[in-house]
Amino acid sequence: MKLKPFYTFVSLFVVGAILVFANTPKISGYSHVENEVVNETKSDDSYNKMMDVLTHQRCMNCHPSDHIPKQGDESHPHYFGMARGEDDHGFEATSCNTCHQSENNLNSGVPGAPHWALAPASMAWEGLTRAQIAERLLDKNTNGNRSHQELIKHMTEDDLVLWAWEPGVDADGEPRTIPPVSKEEFKKAVENWFADGAVIPSK
Amino acid sequence: MADKEKDSKKVSRRKFLVKGGLGTIGVVAIGAYLFRSPIRRQILGVVNSLEAPYLDNIDQPMIWFEVTSDNNILLHSPKMEMGQGTFTGIAQMAAEELSVSMNQIQVVHAASSTGNVDSFATGGSTSISGLWKPLRELSAMLRVMLLKEAAIKMNVDVNQLSVVDGVISGNGKTLTYAQAAEGVENWEVPDVPVLKEAKDYKYIGQPIARVDLDAKVYGDPIFGMDAEMPDMLYGAVVRPTKIGSIFVSADTKAAEHMPGVVKIVVEDDFVGVVANSMLEAEKAKDAIIVTWDSYDNLNTDAIVKMMTVGNGNSSVIQKNGDSFDDQDEIVTLEFRSPIGAHAQIEPNGVVAFVDGDSATIKISTQVVGLTRKEVAKRLDLDAEKVNVVPTYLGGGFGRRLHTPHAVQAAIMSKAVGKPVKYFFSRKEEFQHDMFRPPTHHVIKGKLNAEGYLDGLEHQFVSGDVATDSALIPNALTNFLGADVGAIRGGFIQYTAIPNFKAECWHVELPFATSWWRSLGLLANTFAMESFMDEMALKANKNAVDFRLHQIADEPIDNRLKNVIKAAAEKANYNEEVKDSRAMGFAASIDANTPCAQVAEVSILDNEIIVHKVTVAMDPGLAVNPDQIRAQCEGCVIMGMSAVLYEQMFVEDGELTPTIYGPYQMALMKNAPKEIDVVLLQGKDTPGAVGEPPLGPIGAAIANAVRRLTGERLTELPLKLSKKV
Amino acid sequence: MEISLTVNGVLKTVDIADENTPLLWVVRDTLDLKGTKFGCGKAACGACTLHVDGEAVRSCSYPVKFAEGKKVTTIEGLGDRENPHPVQQAWVEEIVPQCGYCQPGFMMATAALLNKVPKPTDEDIDKNIINVCRCGTYYRMRKAIHKAAELQAEKVISESKEL
């Protein structure tokens, strides 16, 4: 969906604000940036292959910049007002696990995977450019103090990350879309990008 | 009036059936309470905003009460309990005249085998008002009958007897109702005794806790979904996703051999599966490939286009004075309301058992008589042999005035020779609802030199509400050619205006629309009262004063004025924006119950927030003021849910969305934190309660928004067009 | 397959053909506890809310296999007429239910909330209590939730005095 230029202008300013206050982003400070990422075409370099996945809705929906998980291919705010809560797991009594279990539910269409939760606020990607996402990914201040090796392991082995390729069906029983790059290709791309020095291409 | 005289004597002409042996001793069954007015008068009664009288089966014997051996009274209610509190109200009415305590009365839904079948429906806010006279009379008669038997057994003159809590005493002796009833075979039927005067009421008028409160708090299995029968199987019916689908053929091969499948039932108009469990039935259902004839390209825009004033047939339902002549100074506003879903939380469901020439149907229904009739007709059974056993309803709201699923379950049961339980999936609930029809309103008004309306005209169009419903014969659904449901709230209530007209257009939609709590009232009042507000602003007059000035002086008008004044006073209504909050005012009359509301609204992040709603309503005598308050609170919240959030769409021939969430409804966080209810009593009998408070809420909110933002919102659900 | 779970304090072993059968249907149909309701089957309305090891769970979306060895509490086990849970007592005092169908789910969600947040603010309630009620009983529910918090606090005090 194309956003109006007006929003783009406002958003660039807001993104700056988010970067400054990365650890304490405010809900009111957030607004969408026009998504420069094109997911339809497959990229052939490792960086862009990896980014084709990270910017896909299956990943992005749980890396929100406004503390509100998103749902569906159009990334609407999670219904019923669910949000990050204190510990990325929703609210005290109504948490992610009130509905989401450790595997997809084919009867209800509720997705699930081990440790289902939002990515921490420091890993908010929604609205960022690929380069900004990569910066955040590599920055130990935002990535949970992970080394490159630990990042590779997380991105290629973690059940919740890999859920993106086995996202189950929706409430209507229709299969969810998966990232435009296969799981094996993604793993390879991640490994190669780090092996090549994790260089963030400049524009 | 000769007619009226006959009415007052009707009870002495009643038939009584006295029948024993229902498993309890001392069973007293009181038979047909005759109401001789034709159905037509009932319909016109609704139309004319008079409360409909209770209408039962004429000449059929029926059981109202059982006196049980432990000296309690079972009251078989022909009206269903769907949350509206009817069971509590009728228990209060019966306890009053029977002289028993509240906890000696147990209200149960009358199974159709008791004969106590309501030939109309539970709906239209008529249960308490309709039963007010007949139920108290029957209760008083039962008391007299028991006293007469006691007098014989106690050998004391009946005039020396008195009753407290079902215990008769006189001349130093006591006897319980149960003892009095025991062994009696021939009851003497008395004339209708004098009923208690209002000043002597012990239970009527008290805010007594709901009689079903404990059952609902401790999770008792009281709903249709909880019903079971021994050796029961589960059914599922393949339902199309596209509007207007007509069943052509079905390929059932794959489903036949799926686990748990007992039988695939193919009829002329549907395909069903019977299996050992619900999940197996559902899985097999998904494996059946059905060919449908359907509309593919329908969308919301096409429906909106159809639903436009000027399309279809029209009839003038109200007219006074002249039409507009000078077109120059006329203000015209158009309003729209969307397709609304019932979205009751308990899905439609039924357990049916067809056993030879008889059938038992356990079901959440608002139409016991119609359910029985439809099952009997389709399965070619004697209606007397179809026992419809109603359960508590997990929400009614008009959705359960249609129960064709009872017929389908009965057919499936007959096919397997066992009871079959069948209920809708949530997607089926949303796609096969009998929706609240979308509406379009064109309202014109012209102010005179003093700044009051010289003329007011309401033209509106709706899909079917009562028209084409199985509940009332089609010929009777029309009032001067208009749909009696669609016109609820469509009349002009400011009849001191010299020239006014209301005209209703009717368009048939390609999908089923029908009764949704309060029928046309929600949309009609939203449109009319928004327009009134705009005219008050244009005239630079206070919205309350502007209304009061233009209401005539009939009794109902004075009751309307009183609720308007009461709401304004209680809410301290004013037209200033204070602390970013504004008030909006609206009022309506529905089924002879006037209601006025003040909504206190602010806007946060472009969302409309309703902080407080003040309700003033005059439902006449309040049998249970607490439950009337509960209905007002519930109507405010259900109403704001409908006017702020709810909307069905048509996309590629499918009704959508099909799940809560995408079908957005008010949640806890959206509900007003304050709802202040003022009850007035402008007449000495009970009136309609369960729907009238749905009228004003839409316009009350929209009128507050107008004062906050300057924007006149004309479409439901209300959305701000610009950032605030 | 056989699954053992403790339901309302009683150890139950159920034989279920499909281990992915929603816990809701095992509770309702196999164990005949009808207080837990089916509303949507998609974890959207909350009518099926019960507790698994003290946590609120929407049982229509919870495969029975995950309940193996766990403690399940339904509305029938929350309290009864003789010993109502503070939430049930508050619901009675405020006369909350109308049609009543969604109420067990709301009461279970509320009981879970009070376990985590003994004295919830309006904001806590708005965030955590996100079930759907069609009759619009939210207004009384909010009052009942605050009252339940008070009743629970009193209960805790009186129980500690007894000790």
Side-chain angles (χ1 to χ4, degrees):
Chain A
M1 197 166 83
K2 264 233 171 240
L3 291 167
K4 291 172 191 155
F6 171 75
Y7 288 99
T8 314
F9 174 74
V10 171
S11 305
L12 288 174
F13 167 76
V14 174
V15 166
I18 287 175
L19 290 173
V20 173
F21 303 106
N23 291 320
T24 53
K26 286 201 174 90
I27 290 175
S28 57
Y30 170 76
S31 118
H32 282 278
V33 71
E34 185 159 9
N35 198 344
E36 57 157 286
V37 177
V38 181
N39 279 320
E40 284 76 31
T41 54
K42 282 194 183 182
S43 312
D44 43 15
D45 63 291
S46 301
Y47 171 77
N48 278 310
K49 257 187 200 171
M50 178 179 80
M51 280 302 166
D52 284 350
V53 173
L54 300 192
T55 55
H56 186 266
Q57 300 91 317
R58 287 294 82 73
C59 297
M60 196 58 96
N61 281 356
C62 288
H63 285 261
S65 298
D66 58 357
H67 307 305
I68 297 169
K70 305 298 185 294
Q71 295 176 308
D73 284 349
E74 81 288 14
S75 296
H76 60 257
H78 195 294
Y79 291 115
F80 310 107
M82 279 308 292
R84 180 183 300 286
E86 297 293 317
D87 61 354
D88 306 329
H89 280 78
F91 303 118
E92 298 88 343
T94 300
S95 69
C96 300
N97 300 123
T98 298
C99 301
H100 299 271
Q101 308 308 328
S102 58
E103 60 183 42
N104 296 320
N105 192 307
L106 303 182
N107 283 310
S108 65
V110 175
H115 63 91
W116 189 270
L118 279 190
S122 65
M123 289 302 284
W125 294 344
E126 193 183 24
L128 303 193
T129 63
R130 291 185 169 208
Q132 288 168 327
I133 291 172
E135 282 164 15
R136 226 168 241 219
L137 189 65
L138 296 175
D139 184 347
K140 285 194 170 185
N141 292 319
T142 55
N143 78 6
N145 200 27
R146 284 186 172 95
S147 66
H148 284 197
Q149 216 43 48
E150 286 165 330
L151 281 172
I152 294 169
K153 188 172 160 62
H154 175 72
M155 292 172 77
T156 61
E157 292 179 26
D158 185 88
D159 288 326
L160 188 48
V161 172
L162 300 183
W163 168 87
W165 285 273
E166 283 159 18
V169 297
D170 65 15
D172 248 350
E174 299 296 328
R176 287 192 176 82
T177 58
I178 56 173
V181 174
S182 77
K183 183 160 71 180
E184 291 316 312
E185 264 187 282
F186 169 73
K187 287 182 182 178
K188 228 178 281 168
V190 170
E191 282 158 7
N192 290 342
W193 183 61
F194 279 103
D196 293 344
V199 178
I200 303 169
S202 56
K203 276 199 173 168
Chain B
M1 300 227 312
D3 227 30
K4 214 163 194 176
E5 247 165 53
K6 272 187 218 156
D7 270 0
S8 67
K9 281 183 188 163
K10 66 185 180 241
V11 206
S12 62
R13 291 170 165 228
R14 78 235 162 266
K15 285 183 183 174
F16 276 86
L17 175 80
V18 179
K19 186 172 149 192
L22 278 181
T24 47
I25 57 159
V27 170
V28 179
I30 293 187
Y33 181 88
L34 283 183
F35 178 70
R36 290 167 296 99
S37 293
I39 288 179
R40 178 150 187 90
R41 209 171 87 188
Q42 157 109 352
I43 301 305
L44 290 176
V46 175
V47 168
N48 293 328
S49 295
L50 302 167
E51 298 96 336
Y54 175 67
L55 195 74
D56 65 26
N57 274 5
I58 295 169
D59 292 334
Q60 291 295 317
M62 61 185 67
I63 296 171
W64 279 90
F65 300 105
E66 290 179 59
V67 182
T68 66
S69 52
D70 54 358
N71 205 33
N72 289 320
I73 306 282
L74 273 187
L75 168 53
H76 292 265
S77 173
K79 295 293 184 185
M80 306 297 108
E81 178 55 63
M82 49 192 184
Q84 82 281 40
T86 288
F87 272 20
T88 310
I90 64 174
Q92 287 172 264
M93 281 148 56
E96 198 71 76
E97 291 297 339
L98 271 164
S99 297
V100 296
S101 68
M102 279 300 288
N103 56 23
Q104 283 177 288
I105 292 223
Q106 191 194 342
V107 188
V108 295
H109 293 98
S112 65
S113 62
T114 63
N116 199 351
V117 178
D118 182 1
S119 54
F120 189 55
T122 304
S125 301
T126 58
S127 295
I128 296 291
S129 59
L131 284 173
W132 170 245
K133 191 160 178 268
L135 179 62
R136 285 182 310 131
E137 288 178 348
L138 285 170
S139 303
M141 285 159 69
L142 177 58
R143 186 190 72 234
V144 171
M145 288 161 77
L146 288 162
L147 283 172
K148 282 189 175 173
E149 296 305 328
I152 297 165
K153 286 183 177 169
M154 294 163 84
N155 199 19
V156 178
D157 188 286
V158 73
N159 294 319
Q160 293 187 318
L161 296 179
S162 62
V163 196
V164 176
D165 292 347
V167 178
I168 303 160
S169 49
N171 209 8
K173 300 176 191 171
T174 61
L175 201 70
T176 64
Y177 274 170
Q179 289 165 330
E182 191 172 353
V184 179
E185 283 181 7
N186 292 302
W187 295 85
E188 193 183 327
V189 178
D191 284 336
V192 178
V194 177
L195 299 179
K196 272 191 186 175
E197 287 182 47
K199 65 177 172 51
D200 298 324
Y201 290 155
K202 199 170 163 189
Y203 305 116
I204 292 170
Q206 297 303 312
I208 289 168
R210 297 179 66 101
V211 295
D212 51 6
L213 185 55
D214 276 1
K216 289 176 175 176
V217 167
Y218 297 104
D220 293 357
I222 57 173
F223 297 100
M225 277 295 290
D226 304 334
E228 290 186 344
M229 286 192 216
D231 215 12
M232 181 179 85
L233 298 173
Y234 291 84
V237 170
V238 187
R239 292 189 177 270
T241 57
K242 298 258 183 193
I243 290 169
S245 295
I246 295 165
F247 177 68
V248 177
S249 62
D251 175 356
T252 62
K253 278 190 207 75
E256 276 158 21
H257 304 290
M258 289 181 67
V261 172
V262 175
K263 189 157 190 165
I264 311 279
V265 180
V266 183
E267 291 279 310
D268 289 345
D269 53 353
F270 79 94
V271 191
V273 188
V274 183
N276 289 321
S277 75
M278 185 274 294
L279 290 177
E280 287 166 331
E282 285 289 319
K283 288 210 166 91
K285 179 184 84 175
D286 293 341
I288 296 174
I289 302 152
V290 175
T291 308
W292 307 97
D293 238 0
S294 52
Y295 305 102
D296 276 334
N297 302 320
L298 271 177
N299 56 34
T300 308
D301 287 348
I303 301 296
V304 168
K305 212 175 212 178
M306 269 181 231
M307 198 51 67
T308 294
V309 165
N311 290 344
N313 308 315
S314 89
S315 44
V316 175
I317 57 168
Q318 195 187 20
K319 190 169 188 328
N320 193 59
D322 303 322
S323 301
F324 294 111
D325 45 6
D326 178 6
Q327 295 291 320
D328 286 350
E329 293 158 48
I330 295 170
V331 176
T332 304
L333 283 179
E334 295 189 30
F335 299 86
R336 282 194 179 273
S337 76
I339 308 165
H342 286 89
Q344 82 291 344
I345 313 291
E346 183 196 18
N348 278 289
V350 54
V351 187
F353 184 31
V354 178
D355 185 13
D357 64 352
S358 66
T360 305
I361 311 287
K362 292 187 181 179
I363 185 170
S364 296
T365 177
Q366 290 176 253
V367 280
V368 176
L370 180 65
T371 304
R372 179 173 69 169
K373 189 171 109 187
E374 287 180 343
V375 170
K377 192 176 171 200
R378 177 75 180 255
L379 281 94
D380 199 21
L381 299 171
D382 181 354
E384 296 296 311
K385 296 227 167 162
V386 177
N387 186 20
V388 176
V389 184
T391 62
Y392 280 88
L393 276 57
F397 314 115
R399 178 63 187 89
R400 299 183 208 276
L401 294 160
H402 303 267
T403 59
H405 47 285
V407 173
Q408 292 169 328
I411 288 169
M412 290 190 281
S413 167
K414 192 181 177 185
V416 295
K418 286 184 176 179
V420 169
K421 181 170 184 166
Y422 162 50
F423 54 89
F424 282 38
S425 70
R426 184 49 58 183
K427 182 178 179 182
E428 289 166 344
E429 274 295 333
F430 272 108
Q431 292 201 318
H432 297 272
D433 195 357
M434 313 288 288
F435 299 94
R436 186 185 73 235
T439 61
H440 175 229
H441 311 253
V442 179
I443 309 182
K444 296 177 189 228
K446 186 180 165 182
L447 293 171
N448 62 21
E450 288 78 45
Y452 293 105
L453 283 159
D454 179 53
L456 179 62
E457 181 186 296
H458 181 207
Q459 301 245 0
F460 59 107
V461 59
S462 167
D464 292 339
V465 176
T467 306
D468 208 25
S469 125
L471 182 57
I472 348 184
N474 232 350
L476 299 177
T477 58
N478 287 343
F479 172 65
L480 304 173
D483 182 312
V484 296
I487 62 178
R488 288 262 292 264
F491 292 90
I492 282 145
Q493 64 198 18
Y494 302 100
T495 52
I497 297 171
N499 308 295
F500 57 85
K501 184 172 115 176
E503 183 170 6
C504 178
W505 297 75
H506 177 253
V507 168
E508 211 166 303
L509 290 168
F511 53 90
T513 59
S514 182
W515 322 84
W516 190 98
R517 190 181 191 179
S518 90
L519 316 184
L521 179 72
L522 182 92
N524 282 327
T525 309
F526 160 65
M528 290 295 289
E529 285 293 278
S530 294
F531 187 84
M532 282 302 284
D533 194 65
E534 200 56 40
M535 295 310 280
L537 283 164
K538 191 175 161 64
N540 203 19
K541 287 188 160 46
N542 175 286
V544 169
D545 299 338
F546 184 70
R547 283 173 171 80
L548 288 171
H549 188 85
Q550 300 179 89
I551 299 169
D553 277 317
E554 296 294 314
I556 183 66
D557 296 321
N558 291 323
R559 291 171 62 209
L560 176 62
K561 285 180 199 166
N562 289 340
V563 297
I564 288 176
K565 287 177 199 159
E569 191 187 333
K570 184 77 177 161
N572 192 19
Y573 176 78
N574 62 77
E575 306 198 325
E576 291 150 36
V577 176
K578 252 186 275 172
D579 303 327
S580 306
R581 286 192 192 187
M583 291 185 185
F585 194 91
S588 60
I589 302 170
D590 184 45
N592 206 19
T593 293
C595 182
Q597 294 175 8
V598 179
E600 222 174 299
V601 172
S602 74
I603 289 166
L604 181 68
D605 294 338
N606 226 35
E607 293 284 327
I608 298 166
I609 313 287
V610 182
H611 298 273
K612 179 181 177 180
V613 177
T614 304
V615 180
M617 186 165 86
D618 173 6
L621 186 146
V623 172
N624 187 321
D626 177 68
Q627 280 308 302
I628 295 176
R629 286 172 194 281
Q631 286 299 296
C632 288
E633 294 157 9
C635 279
V636 161
I637 293 170
M638 183 173 176
M640 64 168 279
S641 182
V643 303
L644 288 178
Y645 311 116
E646 297 177 30
Q647 185 169 24
M648 289 297 293
F649 298 91
V650 179
E651 281 172 22
D652 299 329
E654 289 195 23
L655 279 149
T656 179
T658 60
I659 186 67
Y660 299 111
Y663 190 77
Q664 193 186 348
M665 288 162 66
L667 299 178
M668 178 74 81
K669 65 177 176 182
N670 307 116
K673 296 219 168 36
E674 274 185 89
I675 302 177
D676 205 353
V677 179
V678 185
L679 297 178
L680 306 184
Q681 186 183 329
K683 64 189 186 91
D684 58 6
T685 55
V689 167
E691 295 170 292
L694 270 169
I697 187 68
I701 295 170
N703 295 344
V705 172
R706 170 71 173 80
R707 281 162 167 75
L708 274 172
T709 68
E711 187 181 9
R712 169 58 59 194
L713 298 180
T714 58
E715 280 190 33
L716 300 182
L718 302 171
K719 299 282 174 229
L720 301 174
S721 69
K722 51 191 175 191
K723 291 250 176 196
V724 177
Chain C
M1 70 180 293
E2 284 201 345
I3 291 166
S4 295
L5 63 169
T6 303
V7 179
N8 298 333
V10 182
L11 183 67
K12 302 271 184 186
T13 300
V14 293
D15 193 9
I16 300 294
D18 179 359
E19 62 177 14
N20 288 316
T21 301
L23 177 59
L24 169 68
W25 297 113
V26 176
V27 165
R28 282 182 59 84
D29 293 343
T30 311
L31 300 171
D32 197 28
L33 294 166
K34 298 282 196 280
T36 308
K37 300 303 183 194
F38 169 77
C40 69
K42 306 287 176 191
C45 73
C48 64
T49 307
L50 43 66
H51 296 176
V52 176
D53 284 349
E55 303 280 342
V57 159
R58 294 193 169 178
S59 62
C60 73
S61 192
Y62 190 90
V64 65
K65 65 186 177 190
F66 289 160
E68 171 68 44
K70 293 189 176 155
K71 290 193 177 75
V72 173
T73 306
T74 68
I75 188 71
E76 292 91 342
L78 189 67
D80 56 31
R81 285 160 168 86
E82 286 69 44
N83 289 298
H85 186 278
V87 171
Q88 290 168 310
Q89 198 182 329
W91 246 245
V92 167
E93 288 179 20
E94 293 294 337
I95 317 179
V96 175
Q98 289 188 24
C99 92
Y101 194 80
C102 70
Q103 302 289 332
F106 272 98
M107 285 184 275
M108 296 309 288
T110 301
L113 174 61
L114 296 187
N115 283 342
K116 308 271 180 183
V117 187
K119 204 174 178 336
T121 61
D122 278 338
E123 200 191 345
D124 293 329
I125 293 169
D126 288 345
K127 285 176 175 171
N128 283 279
I129 307 300
I130 55 173
N131 296 11
V132 181
C133 169
R134 187 38 148 175
C135 299
T137 63
Y138 301 121
Y139 173 68
R140 288 192 184 195
M141 275 196 228
R142 185 185 299 280
K143 291 205 279 188
I145 295 168
H146 288 305
K147 176 162 270 178
E150 285 171 26
L151 292 170
Q152 183 164 284
E154 286 167 18
K155 203 176 161 189
V156 170
I157 290 166
S158 70
E159 276 169 5
S160 62
K161 274 182 186 163
E162 278 168 31
L163 290 173

